[in-house]
Amino acid sequence: MNIVTEDDRDPTEVAQDVFLSDLAGGERASMKFWRVEPGARLPVHDHENEQVGFVISGTLTALVEGEERPLRPGDSYVFPGGERHGAENRGDEPAVGIGVLSPPREEPDWGKGEREPPIAGSDD
């Protein structure tokens, strides 16, 4: 059994004011705790991993294939593998949630300073 306590979480700033922490993970899926500060933006990107998530608090605007979709507390979402997506926190409080990736993923490519081209229709 793998347990990660709140004290074990070590947030990493993967983009300006965007933080990820590793939670419990296994051979077929990994779980991340995320926090996006007001005004911050997750770079538009894609990956082979299916990504399922849940918004705990705050709000985000998901940028998906040229569309904007609101994400509010209590909302869950899925980004299929290969779907280009990003998000912005346009609110005035941090957005907090969890995400599960299958297969597991370590640090995102966009967290290493590599920038994906923008989604058509986004202002990136």
Side-chain angles (χ1 to χ4, degrees):
M1 183 164 142
N2 180 7
I3 298 174
V4 177
T5 68
E6 185 173 1
D7 293 336
D8 294 332
R9 287 198 316 245
D10 185 21
T12 300
E13 189 171 16
V14 295
Q16 185 173 344
D17 293 330
V18 177
F19 298 88
L20 291 179
S21 299
D22 289 326
L23 298 176
E27 292 181 22
R28 294 186 291 236
S30 61
M31 186 165 42
K32 307 284 185 183
F33 177 88
W34 52 261
R35 186 178 82 241
V36 182
E37 297 295 330
R41 181 180 185 149
L42 282 79
V44 173
H45 63 285
D46 63 21
H47 43 73
E48 68 179 27
N49 317 76
E50 180 176 55
Q51 181 176 345
V52 178
F54 181 80
V55 180
I56 297 169
S57 63
T59 59
L60 287 175
T61 299
L63 309 170
V64 183
E65 302 290 347
E67 293 184 28
E68 295 185 358
R69 303 285 306 269
L71 292 172
R72 297 177 182 91
D75 288 351
S76 60
Y77 58 87
V78 175
F79 296 123
E83 181 174 66
R84 292 186 50 73
H85 61 280
E88 297 177 350
N89 183 343
R90 298 175 182 170
D92 53 10
E93 66 178 272
V96 174
I98 58 170
V100 177
L101 295 123
S102 180
R105 185 181 76 186
E106 297 296 324
E107 185 176 349
D109 289 344
W110 50 265
K112 298 175 186 169
E114 298 172 17
R115 189 144 173 88
E116 294 281 343
I119 292 177
S122 75
D123 61 357
D124 193 22

